[in-house]
Amino acid sequence: MHELLAYNKDMEKVVSLTLRGLKSLIDEALEVALQFGEGCPPRLAEALRYVVLAPGKRLRPTLTILANKLVGGSSLDAIEAACAVEMIHAYSLVHDDLPAMDDDDLRRGRPTCHKQFDEATAILVGDALQARAFEQIARIRPPEVAVACLQRLAHAAGAENLVGGQMDDLIGSAGVNSLEQLQAIHRRKTGAMFLVSLELGVLVGGGSQDDLDRIRDYGDNYGLAFQITDDLLDVAGDEQKVGKRVGKDSDMNKLTYPGLLGVEAARQHAADAVANARRAIECYGEQAICLDYLVASLLERDR
Ligand code: GRG
């Protein structure tokens, strides 16, 4: 399946064990990071745990830790940054699911936060997660690295990226009819959080400008391949596996990659992005094996 790094069964086993181990580490760290002191109402604490500890793939924090390892870090060095990116992501899902936005009932195979609790709680969960994410970043040492990470994450999560991309997606979908316009929305709405997840790993690990440039190239292509395969899952995915309603994009007349290019050309576009991402980190050889595997696996996504 993978053309650049050739995988044999043993390598696949090592990679999948490593990725499983990282996911457990991230889940444990999130549990700890979600312990709130006096002042946090029990219902809010329960909703925060419900949302963040739900069975997500933890892709963004995994990318943070892998990028950090690529430049010489160890798994725990980037754990605060990893928790922070997952918290921002979880908040964005909770708000995206609200009736005022995508109005979804199912997320990660469970009732969405506003269905399980109520709308006000879901809004407050998002607010609290965003604040907690920046508390995590403030713990990074040395402080200069914390400030650099804070600046990058705030920019990626803000009006020019995540929030702006979401706004354009909500109001602008009807007028979008070119590949460039579609990419401009997704680069901000989906791509920016993948990119910053990787960048924070490199910043915490003290990587060079060349490392940053390569990881950005990988991240841009990873984000693109992720979005195309996400659109393809909406066309042909199994709702049980995906953990959210499928077929929604076409019901809402949203412009998507398969909608614009056709399914086969969209698949090819995703395959090209995956090959570009793999080439961007090729020079690290087996040190980049997990990053290579993660992006190559996007072409076989079923959730
Ligand atoms: C509300 C500011 C704000 C932004 C919302 C996250 C988002 C932006 C919209 C979600 C809608 C959507 C389906 C976007 C496509 C890409 C995406 C973010 C999918 C969900 O990410 P996964 O698959 O989810 O990594 P898990 O649950 O595995 O973490």
Side-chain angles (χ1 to χ4, degrees), residues 3 18 74 82 92 107 139 158 213 233 240 249 276 286:
E3 350 73 89
T18 307
S74 76
S92 76
R107 171 68 66 184
R139 296 161 67 104
D213 291 344
L233 275 182
Q240 291 284 357
D249 293 340
N276 289 338
E286 286 201 25

Side-chain angles (χ1 to χ4, degrees), residues 208-229:
S208 66
Q209 187 58 48
D210 281 347
D211 291 321
L212 258 183
D213 291 344
R214 287 186 207 110
I215 214 71
R216 284 179 179 145
D217 190 5
Y218 171 90
D220 279 336
N221 283 291
Y222 183 103
L224 178 60
F226 179 90
Q227 184 63 56
I228 300 172
T229 52

Side-chain angles (χ1 to χ4, degrees), residues 172-183 185 255-256 259-261:
S173 240
V176 174
N177 50 27
S178 74
L179 192 58
E180 289 69 33
Q181 286 172 306
L182 190 62
Q183 279 179 349
I185 289 179
L255 193 67
T256 62
L260 189 69
L261 304 173

Side-chain angles (χ1 to χ4, degrees), residues 186-203:
H186 289 148
R187 201 169 284 127
R188 289 171 290 148
K189 183 183 138 184
T190 312
M193 282 304 298
F194 282 120
L195 192 57
V196 77
S197 300
L198 290 153
E199 284 176 335
L200 296 196
V202 174
L203 288 175

